[in-house]
Amino acid sequence: MRYAETGYNLEIDLSTGNIERVETDPRLTELHLGGLGTNAKILWDRVPPEVDPLSPDNLLIFSAGLLDGTPAIGANRTIITSFSPQTLLMGFSMMGGFFGPELKYAGYDKVIIRGKSPDLVYLWINNDKVEIRDASHLQGKGALETAEFIKEELNEPKVQIAAIGLAGENRVYFASIEHGRSSASRLGLGAVMGSKGLKAIAVRGTKDINIAKPDKFWEICQEVLKYIEYRLQNPIKGVPAILSMIGSPQEMMLHDEQWHTTSFSWGHARYRRKDFWNEEVAKNWAESQRNAIERLVSCYNCPVRCGAIIRHPSLPTHRYMMKCYSKLTYVMAAMTDDLAFGFKIAGLAQEYGLDGYTTPQVMAFATELYDNGILTDEEMPGFPSNNEERFFYLLEKIVRREGIGDVLANGVYWAARQIGKGAEKFDHNTTKKHEQMVIKLGMLNPLYFLMYATGEKGNITQIEGQIPQTPLPKGYREEFVKDWIQVPTGKEERFKRFILEWGDEGKSFPFWPPPDLVCELVDWQETMHYIDDATGICAGLSSFPIKPPYHIHNLSCLISAGTGLDIDEEGLWEIARRNRNLVRVINVRRGLRREDERPPEDHWKKRFPEYEEKLLDEYYKYRGWNREGIPTKETLEGLGLDYVAEDDMIKKEILKEGVSLGGTTVKATKKQ
Amino acid sequence: MANKTVKVIKINADECNGCRACEAICSAFHATPKYGTTNPAKARIHVNWDPLRNLYVPVYGGPYVEAECLGRDRYVIGEKEYDECLFCRAVACPSRDLFKDPDSGLPLRCDMCEDDPSLKEPMCVQVCLVDALTYEEREEEMEEEKEKLDELEMGLETLIDKYGFDKVADTLARISISKQAET
């Protein structure tokens, strides 16, 4: 019997209509756990590096996390993986909600989709019965509307649905896959789904998920639940309200948006409005929010209410569900002070199936080009003068790929190059061809520098966590470290000292803390995310907030009790490292190199090119990568990834490893 | 007449966040071994759930019914329209899949998590941190009533309804003879 996982994947070939239920190798669970880890293994094995992301040969994998469907609180993430049409690298996007657990109850850990259907179809997975069904009547329908249609058509009120909207059908490079309360938004996986002629996946399951050591497993779950309750009642002191809670930033519950609106930049990631927040704004925004929100809601088996049901009379469904930050992205990009605009356009964009991070930036970029005379009335006939109207105008053009929308639908990086005439200069907030968080800060933050530069996920919120973003005020530090139980074994002294000293005279960015400590702190943040991405536990309860309920100590026990595997803290860390390196080499094989590892140029005002190179060197060395950021043979073999080291292209790149690295050779540094 | 403790789970549908933790833990608690499997389709609580109509109604498996009822009334409360079925606690109703074990078809009825030692609150209430489900005990004067059917009896009643009394009795007799023959 398999524990925590079902031990079966569903293989669907949309070109031939072939459907197979395939037993998986339990050894892969030991090596990669599940979710992102095993997805990466499948992509490495089965998608050669030259495959175009929008071609039938690309795979689109919907995976439940290893612990989805167990009683583990907040284990509900669906990890969707493919290759991104925008970055051309591994496309990694996840969503919460109910889809992953339902897939497990239907008897599958993953749905692996290949090929391309000649006509628009949807997939209906009902336990052992799996059908490819006609979706021609759903063509052009919104993502939410589609889900409602399918629910009615199947007469299954408990069915869970992931669907694309018009943007995915039209292969917009930042099209999302929508699932009611959640969406897999980043890196254009909705376009991949559209390219396969797949409108939606509907799933319903009524089977058991087994736990290896039930009493132990539930004991840990109860402790986690107790800590959640404690944290909901005890926000972290000394940090802004929005960062003091657990879950994703509690932007549906809280009205106070001083931190986001004054620290993040407006327009096309350009301007900070440090004095934006005042009493009047606070009052108006609280009222807008109260008018819009009908109920605070959660994902499967989680008490934290990060989402909300929003009234939206002009949508076919009359309502939609919002999660945290998309409330602000359109408002700030459009430079409007009206929060109600945000609720309105975000609902429409969700129905079209668009990424709430990238879309507003692309529209602000187009607006900026227009204001600078690079785009004119010729390309944008009837372009309104009011920013809010402009955004609605651009939204319609983009999702239809109509006129200039056809260019903008490829995202800022590609659009800038297609438009030319100096538009490239306005592409200032992308890394690896992907729009980044709209942050414009003063002093270089060495931790964030490394996370932005080397992160494979394209989204900082899926990389960062655990540590406050600025030094804690004096007087709060002692109390903070007193019950900081989340710190990994062996790091307690160093990490606590970091919190206690950070902000003192001479203890500030960029040159403090020393690079070795920077690497360790970055490693911790990344590792916790890589674990969540495999287990399906929500980052909002684990890797993302400060002092989360899940941490390296209880996660190793929980995974062991759930699966019956014997994984200790060190073992879990190693699995995360293996997954991190596997994702890395998949991208290396597709051409990722050191020169691509650049945060947006004006992310920080004060930059230190030489020191940044040193940080990259140190980090690569710490990871066991060569000067180009490519894992060395020893690193790969040490992680049991020998077959990767044998790959022709990787072999060729590893041969370059004698390259000098700050006086030492790569070989000599491998000992650590 | 005697005093009796009445156990009540109070449902505040307005507070429900739709997470269905109650369904998950209910199925795990009633599994054998306890917490050994999770399967919300086997839960004795069910959240009627329709987010885009902002409709969240948790309902517990209650009395066993043999046939579906004739009524299909609709209620308007607030500005929302509710189907009568949404509030119905009937277990094993032929018109729907609720409160029936998906494998055996046997009825699933809330037993308030009776356990030894007894729990301070049923499991669904324990995991509901948003207080959509709260637990109350109150003393009530009750007429002595005849013992309620236990789970085994209830299961047998279902089988009798499905296959007829004679067939179930014959099968039991046959099994008991073959068991005796084995020993």
Side-chain angles (χ1 to χ4, degrees):
Chain A
M1 184 154 48
R2 301 285 276 265
Y3 295 100
E5 58 184 351
T6 66
Y8 288 92
N9 290 342
L10 198 53
E11 296 268 0
I12 313 275
D13 189 328
L14 289 172
S15 299
T16 62
N18 192 45
I19 299 171
E20 272 177 74
R21 180 171 171 264
V22 181
E23 194 170 356
T24 58
D25 178 359
R27 174 80 187 126
L28 292 179
T29 311
E30 290 173 36
L31 289 170
H32 302 284
L33 294 181
L36 173 70
T38 36
N39 283 5
K41 169 73 173 133
I42 292 166
L43 288 182
W44 171 267
D45 286 345
R46 291 172 46 184
V47 185
E50 65 280 3
V51 167
D52 180 321
L54 296 180
S55 83
D57 294 336
N58 189 11
L59 296 182
L60 178 64
I61 308 173
F62 284 72
S63 179
L66 178 65
L67 296 179
D68 279 16
T70 71
I73 321 299
N76 55 41
R77 305 285 281 175
T78 306
I79 299 94
I80 307 179
T81 324
S82 186
F83 286 98
S84 161
Q86 188 190 36
T87 64
L88 306 174
L89 301 172
M90 185 165 156
F92 169 92
S93 202
M94 313 201 293
M95 60 188 190
F98 299 81
F99 189 92
E102 198 70 31
L103 185 64
K104 296 276 281 279
Y105 298 136
Y108 312 98
D109 298 316
K110 295 182 200 296
V111 187
I112 303 166
I113 297 151
R114 63 178 183 272
K116 175 188 185 333
S117 166
D119 304 304
L120 195 65
V121 292
Y122 77 89
L123 202 58
W124 168 218
I125 303 167
N126 185 9
N127 289 323
D128 295 337
K129 213 175 92 197
V130 181
E131 297 170 15
I132 299 171
R133 295 173 66 113
D134 174 49
S136 52
H137 56 305
L138 301 172
Q139 191 152 14
K141 291 257 185 296
L144 304 175
E145 202 186 357
T146 294
E148 293 301 293
F149 263 100
I150 291 176
K151 214 196 272 187
E152 209 158 298
E153 187 170 297
L154 300 173
N155 192 24
E156 277 281 349
K158 288 210 146 179
V159 70
Q160 297 298 340
I161 294 159
I164 55 169
L166 195 55
E169 284 182 45
N170 289 338
R171 303 178 197 188
V172 173
Y173 283 8
F174 40 96
S176 59
I177 299 168
E178 295 289 336
H179 165 55
R181 139 97 193 82
S182 310
S183 59
S185 294
R186 302 298 274 161
L187 297 160
L189 302 190
V192 176
M193 193 157 158
S195 77
K196 300 204 169 299
L198 183 62
K199 180 72 177 171
I201 303 179
V203 59
R204 170 74 179 132
T206 60
K207 297 190 194 185
D208 294 350
I209 291 298
N210 305 309
I211 292 298
K213 294 175 186 153
D215 286 330
K216 178 74 188 157
F217 191 85
W218 179 242
E219 188 191 313
I220 302 166
C221 293
Q222 272 178 307
E223 285 165 13
V224 167
L225 202 59
K226 229 183 270 172
Y227 194 82
I228 290 174
E229 206 171 4
Y230 167 78
R231 279 291 277 105
L232 288 174
Q233 287 156 7
N234 293 278
I236 304 287
K237 292 174 193 154
V239 300
I242 210 92
L243 301 178
S244 66
M245 307 284 279
I246 50 171
S248 48
Q250 293 295 297
E251 299 189 62
M252 297 296 103
M253 188 191 290
L254 300 175
H255 304 137
D256 181 349
E257 286 291 0
Q258 178 163 18
W259 186 73
H260 276 125
T261 54
T262 59
S263 321
F264 288 38
S265 53
W266 295 63
H268 180 220
R270 294 286 184 192
Y271 323 96
R272 273 180 78 179
R273 299 171 74 182
K274 289 186 185 174
D275 50 5
F276 171 74
W277 197 255
N278 57 38
E279 241 172 72
E280 201 197 326
V281 172
K283 200 176 127 243
N284 290 340
W285 280 34
E287 199 187 319
S288 289
Q289 191 151 330
R290 270 195 300 273
N291 287 337
I293 291 180
E294 286 191 323
R295 181 190 296 262
L296 297 176
V297 293
S298 304
C299 296
Y300 182 67
N301 194 15
C302 178
V304 187
R305 291 170 290 185
C306 308
I309 298 175
I310 313 284
R311 272 184 209 96
H312 200 304
S314 58
L315 285 183
T317 52
H318 303 294
R319 293 185 179 85
Y320 73 102
M321 282 178 274
M322 177 179 263
K323 47 264 153 184
C324 65
Y325 188 53
S326 52
K327 168 181 136 187
L328 298 182
T329 51
Y330 292 94
V331 171
M332 292 174 69
M335 293 285 282
T336 168
D337 296 358
D338 184 9
L339 184 60
F341 163 76
F343 285 118
K344 197 171 166 203
I345 194 164
L348 189 55
Q350 203 178 100
E351 188 73 320
Y352 284 141
L354 285 168
D355 176 10
Y357 271 76
T358 288
T359 309
Q361 286 194 57
V362 171
M363 301 199 293
F365 162 75
T367 304
E368 213 175 36
L369 293 187
Y370 182 85
D371 290 341
N372 283 277
I374 294 174
L375 288 175
T376 63
D377 287 332
E378 201 183 313
E379 293 96 356
M380 294 154 92
F383 194 50
S385 56
N386 165 298
N387 262 7
E388 295 183 13
E389 285 167 28
R390 285 174 163 187
F391 269 43
F392 283 111
Y393 172 102
L394 288 165
L395 189 67
E396 301 297 329
K397 298 278 180 214
I398 288 169
V399 295
R400 292 182 173 73
R401 277 190 174 275
E402 201 175 275
I404 191 68
D406 191 30
V407 176
L408 296 173
N410 297 338
V412 170
Y413 174 88
W414 296 108
R417 278 142 193 87
Q418 278 169 275
I419 294 165
K421 296 186 275 184
E424 297 91 336
K425 275 201 205 101
F426 292 81
D427 165 24
H428 73 113
N429 201 45
T430 60
T431 289
K432 296 168 190 167
K433 308 179 179 66
H434 189 54
E435 293 75 9
Q436 299 298 317
M437 190 69 92
V438 288
I439 289 182
K440 294 286 155 277
L441 298 169
M443 179 54 72
L444 175 86
N445 178 329
L447 287 84
Y448 275 76
F449 169 80
L450 284 178
M451 291 190 287
Y452 271 102
T454 70
E456 315 279 350
K457 300 179 193 165
N459 205 49
I460 193 67
T461 54
Q462 294 301 334
I463 305 170
E464 66 179 339
Q466 313 283 345
I467 297 167
Q469 302 196 358
T470 47
L472 287 176
K474 278 187 181 160
Y476 289 100
R477 298 177 192 168
E478 288 286 350
E479 196 190 329
F480 181 89
V481 300
K482 215 169 53 195
D483 59 356
W484 203 16
I485 53 168
Q486 289 78 3
V487 179
T489 305
K491 304 283 184 192
E492 296 90 343
E493 208 261 316
R494 274 166 79 72
F495 288 6
K496 286 180 181 177
R497 191 143 46 86
F498 166 74
I499 292 293
L500 291 173
E501 293 177 354
W502 185 19
D504 284 353
E505 177 97 43
K507 302 279 167 73
S508 60
F509 296 156
F511 299 115
W512 189 89
D516 57 338
L517 184 53
V518 170
C519 290
E520 285 171 48
L521 289 165
V522 167
D523 184 18
W524 180 31
Q525 302 187 56
E526 289 182 342
T527 297
M528 298 319 296
H529 276 284
Y530 270 89
I531 295 169
D532 291 344
D533 303 341
T535 62
I537 287 177
C538 176
L541 293 180
S542 186
S543 42
F544 182 67
I546 304 166
K547 294 195 179 175
Y550 287 106
H551 41 77
I552 188 78
H553 315 295
N554 62 10
L555 279 169
S556 53
C557 301
L558 188 71
I559 294 167
S560 298
T563 58
L565 298 172
D566 188 13
I567 299 173
D568 60 10
E569 200 176 313
E570 205 178 312
L572 187 54
W573 205 279
E574 182 172 318
I575 292 171
R577 200 182 306 134
R578 181 177 300 118
N579 290 347
R580 169 92 169 98
N581 275 277
L582 187 54
V583 173
R584 185 76 186 179
V585 290
I586 288 171
N587 282 335
V588 164
R589 197 164 68 161
R590 287 186 76 96
L592 178 78
R593 293 295 180 272
R594 183 187 181 110
E595 63 181 350
D596 302 307
E597 310 231 280
R598 292 276 173 273
E601 281 310 317
D602 55 353
H603 213 83
W604 300 278
K605 204 177 267 170
K606 293 186 184 144
R607 297 290 292 264
F608 303 83
E610 241 172 76
Y611 186 62
E612 288 169 17
E613 292 305 316
K614 184 178 159 60
L615 281 171
L616 265 188
D617 285 343
E618 290 285 337
Y619 179 82
Y620 287 171
K621 199 161 70 170
Y622 180 90
R623 283 254 168 258
W625 299 348
N626 73 12
R627 212 187 169 279
E628 276 299 314
I630 300 167
T632 63
K633 193 161 184 277
E634 282 78 357
T635 300
L636 293 171
E637 286 173 353
L639 292 166
L641 298 172
D642 309 50
Y643 60 93
V644 170
E646 288 309 308
D647 179 81
D648 284 346
M649 189 187 284
I650 298 297
K651 244 171 135 170
K652 212 171 78 193
E653 293 302 326
I654 288 170
L655 284 179
K656 292 183 186 167
E657 71 180 307
V659 177
S660 163
L661 191 73
T664 48
T665 64
V666 174
K667 210 169 163 66
T669 63
K670 252 171 251 145
K671 278 186 198 131
Q672 71 139 327
Chain B
M1 300 288 265
N3 266 349
K4 197 180 171 191
T5 307
V6 180
K7 300 172 174 178
V8 184
I9 296 173
K10 214 165 115 185
I11 300 165
N12 184 343
D14 285 344
E15 291 299 325
C16 180
N17 61 338
C19 77
R20 297 169 52 203
C22 49
E23 296 180 11
I25 194 55
C26 177
S27 72
F29 181 79
H30 290 94
T32 312
K34 204 181 272 182
Y35 310 117
T37 57
T38 313
N39 182 352
K42 292 184 179 172
R44 291 132 197 256
I45 177 171
H46 160 74
V47 183
N48 283 294
W49 189 80
D50 191 353
L52 293 180
R53 291 171 63 211
N54 187 18
L55 213 156
Y56 291 69
V57 186
V59 177
Y60 288 88
Y64 169 70
V65 299
E66 293 171 18
E68 58 188 304
C69 66
L70 293 174
R72 283 286 192 281
D73 297 338
R74 301 183 83 79
Y75 291 80
V76 176
I77 306 173
E79 284 165 5
K80 270 176 277 180
E81 193 179 290
Y82 301 84
D83 190 294
E84 186 184 20
C85 270
L86 285 183
F87 302 104
C88 182
R89 303 177 64 220
V91 153
C93 171
S95 73
R96 58 184 193 179
D97 289 335
L98 285 187
F99 306 128
K100 267 182 245 177
D101 186 296
D103 302 330
S104 65
L106 289 172
L108 299 166
R109 186 175 156 174
C110 171
D111 61 358
M112 304 293 255
C113 294
E114 268 171 26
D115 200 17
D116 188 20
S118 60
L119 306 181
K120 70 177 191 328
E121 291 175 333
M123 293 304 288
C124 54
V125 175
Q126 289 188 33
V127 299
C128 187
L129 299 191
V130 298
D131 287 343
L133 308 174
T134 47
Y135 179 69
E136 283 176 11
E137 278 179 7
R138 55 172 191 262
E139 296 291 315
E140 259 181 25
E141 275 191 3
M142 296 280 282
E143 277 191 53
E144 311 255 354
E145 55 178 310
K146 71 168 191 177
E147 285 259 313
K148 280 191 188 137
L149 294 183
D150 68 12
E151 274 199 27
L152 173 64
E153 281 175 293
M154 204 163 68
L156 278 173
E157 291 267 4
T158 321
L159 292 173
I160 288 167
D161 288 337
K162 193 167 177 185
Y163 298 104
F165 180 80
D166 290 345
K167 190 151 188 201
V168 174
D170 283 354
T171 311
L172 269 179
R174 206 175 56 239
I175 293 172
S176 87
I177 291 167
S178 68
K179 289 278 179 201
Q180 277 165 358
E182 277 172 27
T183 51

PDB file of all heavy atoms in Angstrom, chain B residues 154-166:
ATOM      1  N   MET B 154     -28.480  -0.229  12.346  1.00  0.00           N
ATOM      2  CA  MET B 154     -28.878   0.679  11.288  1.00  0.00           C
ATOM      3  C   MET B 154     -28.404   0.143   9.939  1.00  0.00           C
ATOM      4  O   MET B 154     -29.129   0.178   8.943  1.00  0.00           O
ATOM      5  CB  MET B 154     -28.286   2.060  11.550  1.00  0.00           C
ATOM      6  CG  MET B 154     -29.046   3.171  10.908  1.00  0.00           C
ATOM      7  SD  MET B 154     -28.609   4.748  11.621  1.00  0.00           S
ATOM      8  CE  MET B 154     -26.933   4.942  11.092  1.00  0.00           C
ATOM      9  N   GLY B 155     -27.177  -0.379   9.935  1.00  0.00           N
ATOM     10  CA  GLY B 155     -26.619  -0.953   8.709  1.00  0.00           C
ATOM     11  C   GLY B 155     -27.471  -2.125   8.244  1.00  0.00           C
ATOM     12  O   GLY B 155     -27.797  -2.264   7.053  1.00  0.00           O
ATOM     13  N   LEU B 156     -27.855  -2.974   9.192  1.00  0.00           N
ATOM     14  CA  LEU B 156     -28.671  -4.139   8.838  1.00  0.00           C
ATOM     15  C   LEU B 156     -30.027  -3.706   8.275  1.00  0.00           C
ATOM     16  O   LEU B 156     -30.511  -4.279   7.301  1.00  0.00           O
ATOM     17  CB  LEU B 156     -28.865  -5.018  10.074  1.00  0.00           C
ATOM     18  CG  LEU B 156     -27.691  -5.969  10.384  1.00  0.00           C
ATOM     19  CD1 LEU B 156     -27.908  -6.661  11.715  1.00  0.00           C
ATOM     20  CD2 LEU B 156     -27.494  -6.989   9.269  1.00  0.00           C
ATOM     21  N   GLU B 157     -30.577  -2.659   8.899  1.00  0.00           N
ATOM     22  CA  GLU B 157     -31.860  -2.145   8.398  1.00  0.00           C
ATOM     23  C   GLU B 157     -31.735  -1.733   6.928  1.00  0.00           C
ATOM     24  O   GLU B 157     -32.618  -1.982   6.119  1.00  0.00           O
ATOM     25  CB  GLU B 157     -32.294  -0.916   9.225  1.00  0.00           C
ATOM     26  CG  GLU B 157     -32.702  -1.226  10.648  1.00  0.00           C
ATOM     27  CD  GLU B 157     -34.201  -1.471  10.791  1.00  0.00           C
ATOM     28  OE1 GLU B 157     -34.891  -1.478   9.759  1.00  0.00           O
ATOM     29  OE2 GLU B 157     -34.658  -1.661  11.942  1.00  0.00           O
ATOM     30  N   THR B 158     -30.608  -1.089   6.621  1.00  0.00           N
ATOM     31  CA  THR B 158     -30.394  -0.662   5.231  1.00  0.00           C
ATOM     32  C   THR B 158     -30.349  -1.865   4.302  1.00  0.00           C
ATOM     33  O   THR B 158     -30.936  -1.862   3.218  1.00  0.00           O
ATOM     34  CB  THR B 158     -29.048   0.068   5.099  1.00  0.00           C
ATOM     35  OG1 THR B 158     -28.853   0.868   6.229  1.00  0.00           O
ATOM     36  CG2 THR B 158     -29.010   0.903   3.846  1.00  0.00           C
ATOM     37  N   LEU B 159     -29.594  -2.880   4.743  1.00  0.00           N
ATOM     38  CA  LEU B 159     -29.462  -4.063   3.898  1.00  0.00           C
ATOM     39  C   LEU B 159     -30.832  -4.730   3.711  1.00  0.00           C
ATOM     40  O   LEU B 159     -31.157  -5.224   2.633  1.00  0.00           O
ATOM     41  CB  LEU B 159     -28.466  -5.046   4.535  1.00  0.00           C
ATOM     42  CG  LEU B 159     -27.017  -4.545   4.555  1.00  0.00           C
ATOM     43  CD1 LEU B 159     -26.134  -5.487   5.359  1.00  0.00           C
ATOM     44  CD2 LEU B 159     -26.475  -4.406   3.130  1.00  0.00           C
ATOM     45  N   ILE B 160     -31.627  -4.709   4.806  1.00  0.00           N
ATOM     46  CA  ILE B 160     -32.961  -5.320   4.716  1.00  0.00           C
ATOM     47  C   ILE B 160     -33.826  -4.553   3.715  1.00  0.00           C
ATOM     48  O   ILE B 160     -34.521  -5.140   2.898  1.00  0.00           O
ATOM     49  CB  ILE B 160     -33.624  -5.337   6.119  1.00  0.00           C
ATOM     50  CG1 ILE B 160     -32.915  -6.385   6.989  1.00  0.00           C
ATOM     51  CG2 ILE B 160     -35.120  -5.680   6.009  1.00  0.00           C
ATOM     52  CD1 ILE B 160     -33.228  -6.303   8.467  1.00  0.00           C
ATOM     53  N   ASP B 161     -33.722  -3.217   3.776  1.00  0.00           N
ATOM     54  CA  ASP B 161     -34.481  -2.426   2.817  1.00  0.00           C
ATOM     55  C   ASP B 161     -34.071  -2.732   1.386  1.00  0.00           C
ATOM     56  O   ASP B 161     -34.888  -2.737   0.475  1.00  0.00           O
ATOM     57  CB  ASP B 161     -34.244  -0.920   3.054  1.00  0.00           C
ATOM     58  CG  ASP B 161     -34.938  -0.469   4.312  1.00  0.00           C
ATOM     59  OD1 ASP B 161     -35.897  -1.138   4.720  1.00  0.00           O
ATOM     60  OD2 ASP B 161     -34.482   0.542   4.886  1.00  0.00           O
ATOM     61  N   LYS B 162     -32.785  -2.969   1.222  1.00  0.00           N
ATOM     62  CA  LYS B 162     -32.264  -3.123  -0.126  1.00  0.00           C
ATOM     63  C   LYS B 162     -32.564  -4.535  -0.662  1.00  0.00           C
ATOM     64  O   LYS B 162     -32.969  -4.689  -1.807  1.00  0.00           O
ATOM     65  CB  LYS B 162     -30.761  -2.850  -0.108  1.00  0.00           C
ATOM     66  CG  LYS B 162     -30.142  -2.677  -1.482  1.00  0.00           C
ATOM     67  CD  LYS B 162     -28.749  -2.101  -1.378  1.00  0.00           C
ATOM     68  CE  LYS B 162     -28.103  -1.989  -2.745  1.00  0.00           C
ATOM     69  NZ  LYS B 162     -26.713  -1.541  -2.635  1.00  0.00           N
ATOM     70  N   TYR B 163     -32.347  -5.540   0.189  1.00  0.00           N
ATOM     71  CA  TYR B 163     -32.425  -6.926  -0.313  1.00  0.00           C
ATOM     72  C   TYR B 163     -33.646  -7.698   0.210  1.00  0.00           C
ATOM     73  O   TYR B 163     -33.912  -8.816  -0.206  1.00  0.00           O
ATOM     74  CB  TYR B 163     -31.161  -7.693   0.073  1.00  0.00           C
ATOM     75  CG  TYR B 163     -29.913  -7.097  -0.524  1.00  0.00           C
ATOM     76  CD1 TYR B 163     -29.027  -6.347   0.241  1.00  0.00           C
ATOM     77  CD2 TYR B 163     -29.634  -7.274  -1.895  1.00  0.00           C
ATOM     78  CE1 TYR B 163     -27.889  -5.788  -0.311  1.00  0.00           C
ATOM     79  CE2 TYR B 163     -28.489  -6.714  -2.454  1.00  0.00           C
ATOM     80  CZ  TYR B 163     -27.623  -5.974  -1.665  1.00  0.00           C
ATOM     81  OH  TYR B 163     -26.509  -5.429  -2.219  1.00  0.00           O
ATOM     82  N   GLY B 164     -34.347  -7.141   1.171  1.00  0.00           N
ATOM     83  CA  GLY B 164     -35.471  -7.855   1.773  1.00  0.00           C
ATOM     84  C   GLY B 164     -35.015  -8.635   2.994  1.00  0.00           C
ATOM     85  O   GLY B 164     -33.855  -9.075   3.076  1.00  0.00           O
ATOM     86  N   PHE B 165     -35.919  -8.801   3.953  1.00  0.00           N
ATOM     87  CA  PHE B 165     -35.567  -9.422   5.220  1.00  0.00           C
ATOM     88  C   PHE B 165     -35.080 -10.860   5.033  1.00  0.00           C
ATOM     89  O   PHE B 165     -34.070 -11.281   5.591  1.00  0.00           O
ATOM     90  CB  PHE B 165     -36.778  -9.390   6.165  1.00  0.00           C
ATOM     91  CG  PHE B 165     -36.491 -10.024   7.503  1.00  0.00           C
ATOM     92  CD1 PHE B 165     -35.812  -9.318   8.480  1.00  0.00           C
ATOM     93  CD2 PHE B 165     -36.859 -11.343   7.765  1.00  0.00           C
ATOM     94  CE1 PHE B 165     -35.514  -9.912   9.694  1.00  0.00           C
ATOM     95  CE2 PHE B 165     -36.551 -11.936   8.976  1.00  0.00           C
ATOM     96  CZ  PHE B 165     -35.889 -11.218   9.956  1.00  0.00           C
ATOM     97  N   ASP B 166     -35.811 -11.610   4.201  1.00  0.00           N
ATOM     98  CA  ASP B 166     -35.498 -13.029   4.077  1.00  0.00           C
ATOM     99  C   ASP B 166     -34.085 -13.256   3.545  1.00  0.00           C
ATOM    100  O   ASP B 166     -33.338 -14.089   4.050  1.00  0.00           O
ATOM    101  CB  ASP B 166     -36.515 -13.713   3.140  1.00  0.00           C
ATOM    102  CG  ASP B 166     -37.885 -13.788   3.812  1.00  0.00           C
ATOM    103  OD1 ASP B 166     -37.925 -13.586   5.059  1.00  0.00           O
ATOM    104  OD2 ASP B 166     -38.886 -14.009   3.104  1.00  0.00           O
TER     105      ASP B 166
END
